[in-house]
Amino acid sequence: QKPQNTIHVSWHDVLSSVPTHDAVTGKPVPTFIVCQELVDALPIHSFQKVEGDVWRERLVDVEVRDEEEAKDAKDDIRSAARRYASAEPDDASKLTSPPSSSSTSSSSPSSEEKSKKMPRLRFVLPPDTTPALRTILRVDNRGKPIISDDNPNAQALNSLPVGSIVEACPEGFLLAQDIAGRIQKCRGAALIIDYGGDGSSGGDTLRGFRKHAQVHPLSRPGEVDVTADVDFGALREAVNARVELEESLKRKLQQQQQRSARSTIGFANQTKVAVKIEEPDYQSNASAEPNRQRPEAFGPISQGKFLAQMGVVQRVTKKIEDPETSDEEAEELFSAMERLMAEEEMGERYKVLAIAPKKEGVFPPPGF
């Protein structure tokens, strides 16, 4: 028999598969979400400004040494994939000796020939625009940003010099919006903690890490932790723009209902029929209880500032001054706090964004 206080843990591949309502009572389940270095691992689109003041999307291609070997590229890629899958991390011989079509012959090829046959991934710029480029940066078929009232980034893109790189993470935007929608439905809150800034970095932040060392992001596919800086400003706008769109649609619907009600009153007066129609109080509806529970995005603020405003310094000080805390434990506590809060450590590099409704419709969440 299982204890009554047992906590059950379930793994889900996507947020949408996490239940929003209790299976027994059918009531919404308050949701609290913490995204710790999650968004930086999501796929990004990278765009570069080229000659002619037009934009192109940076793509990944397979580099083959010469045209004679191009016909064998597909087989070599599959062989490389099998080699990486079967190799142990420290097995240097497997990682530096790719199979080739000549490996079945009686004479073994030289290491120079082996490395020559190894296909490599590289960044390339296509000659034309891509659907992602036209959709995300709002450019025309030539790659020029479209100047319009609903494309406020066009002027900024045009002002950037040739060679500039801009990154975007649509999956991050959708995740933030999904979290906001879940909180609105079930109540709760979310914290997104990651490294990045309040706005696009305006540069190439895509990089790879392997065994705590920075490496090329396209090296050793499947063995490298690929990451990019998080655009917290875009995440905030993704949530708050969603809110503004909902309000805009609601206002349009109310205006249509209001016009319809006035038209009905006018028709009733013309036909001299005693009809009394009470128009709804749209102003009071706008401030109704459901709107007070509408989630918004707050921040980002630096991790150091967030922790300070949440009282971490007082908590650590109290723990250090506890008579039962040893000198070694006190030193570890202080070092950990310094690493998390110091500007030269993680305090400024890491940012915190909150998604939650305002308390009583007025106050932001704690720490913000």
Side-chain angles (χ1 to χ4, degrees), residues 179-198:
I179 291 174
R182 178 175 289 263
I183 292 173
Q184 184 168 359
K185 182 186 298 183
C186 306
R187 300 193 179 186
L191 284 178
I192 299 177
I193 308 167
D194 225 312
Y195 46 84
D198 188 1

Side-chain angles (χ1 to χ4, degrees), residues 118-179:
M118 177 63 188
R120 292 181 172 86
L121 299 179
R122 62 176 178 174
F123 290 112
V124 295
L125 295 174
D128 301 314
T129 59
T130 60
L133 173 62
R134 294 191 296 269
T135 303
I136 297 174
L137 291 195
R138 301 289 303 280
V139 302
D140 57 23
N141 290 332
R142 297 175 301 163
K144 286 269 191 179
I146 300 173
I147 306 296
S148 63
D149 294 337
D150 60 348
N151 188 20
N153 296 323
Q155 295 292 347
L157 293 173
N158 285 330
S159 66
L160 292 175
V162 172
S164 298
I165 293 177
V166 173
E167 299 168 340
C169 180
E171 288 195 25
F173 309 158
L174 295 175
L175 175 63
Q177 291 177 338
D178 288 346
I179 291 174

